[in-house]
Amino acid sequence: MTATTTPAILLGMRVPDAFVQALSRRGRVLGPPTAAFPEFVATLPAADRVAVRALVTMGTVGATDATMALLPALGIVSCLGSGYEGVDLAAARARRIVATHSPAANASAVADLRSD
């Protein structure tokens, strides 16, 4: 496979370097964005957009129908954290894209912040 046909993983936000390294073992990592996420995706080279198979994002960054339309090979939108409010779930479903999140992943940390 060439660099342009190697499956790509698109980052919707900045993540720790160790996570990027782990993702790099699965595919070519694109990002983090250097502009607002929708604009960043729109300015990616066409060869990169068609190579994206996975999007790692979070609820506040999300994935709109228009953004997913620019990524024709996208198969999964994975939200870090429990929220996925910015992901257009109906559009993902219509495009047969799996949308995931990690409910309760930060519950213990949030519970530590409780002030009764």
Side-chain angles (χ1 to χ4, degrees):
M1 287 187 149
T2 65
T4 57
T5 59
T6 301
I9 302 164
L10 178 60
L11 299 177
M13 73 289 186
R14 195 168 284 292
V15 296
D17 290 340
F19 188 55
V20 174
Q21 290 171 3
L23 291 174
S24 295
R25 291 191 288 274
R26 303 278 185 191
R28 190 167 46 100
V29 177
L30 304 174
T34 54
F37 185 64
E39 290 78 21
F40 176 73
V41 174
T43 60
L44 285 172
D48 285 342
R49 288 196 317 262
V50 300
V52 172
R53 295 282 297 133
L55 167 60
V56 177
T57 187
M58 59 187 193
T60 56
V61 173
T64 64
D65 182 38
T67 299
M68 289 185 274
L70 293 172
L71 306 169
L74 186 62
I76 186 167
V77 174
S78 180
C79 292
L80 299 180
S82 58
Y84 53 90
E85 62 276 4
V87 177
D88 186 333
L89 296 175
R93 193 173 306 112
R95 295 175 188 283
R96 303 179 73 93
I97 298 169
V98 175
T100 68
H101 65 114
S102 48
N106 62 349
S108 62
V110 172
D112 287 344
L113 296 176
R114 186 173 175 190
S115 60
D116 287 345

